[in-house]
Amino acid sequence: MHPMFLPGVESFPATGSRGEMMARLRGAGIPIPQIQHLFAFKTDRTDHLARFTHGVMRGPSPLSPGQRELIAAFTSRRNDCPF
């Protein structure tokens, strides 16, 4: 994954459950999605977006979470956006 254009955002130390998740990804050698760096940088401005996304992807729906993930991956691919 390419480095972010804002290294201060990428190197900002995440705290709480988000910080723990990012530490686990680093420990496993898995690249951290860049949006997670932004979520960790300004939590007061991104927590509502994280709750919204979680509700859309994991909340009650006639579609399973796997089907929703598949739709999101397909859409990202069509938009040339790494998922």
Side-chain angles (χ1 to χ4, degrees):
M1 189 170 287
H2 299 291
M4 294 185 77
F5 293 107
L6 303 170
V9 172
E10 189 169 7
S11 64
F12 187 79
T15 59
S17 60
R18 184 168 290 121
E20 293 170 10
M21 178 269 301
M22 292 171 78
R24 283 195 305 272
L25 290 174
R26 277 193 194 97
I30 299 171
I32 298 171
Q34 293 182 351
I35 191 71
Q36 293 299 331
H37 293 292
L38 183 61
F39 279 16
F41 184 66
K42 296 285 185 182
T43 57
D44 62 325
R45 296 174 196 154
T46 57
D47 279 351
H48 66 285
L49 182 57
R51 285 192 305 276
F52 170 78
T53 303
H54 185 80
V56 168
M57 297 303 288
R58 300 285 184 255
S61 169
L63 299 176
S64 72
Q67 289 171 318
R68 288 178 264 177
E69 290 285 347
L70 183 61
I71 292 168
F74 178 78
T75 303
S76 293
R77 176 70 178 145
R78 295 280 308 214
N79 290 327
D80 293 325
C81 176
F83 186 77

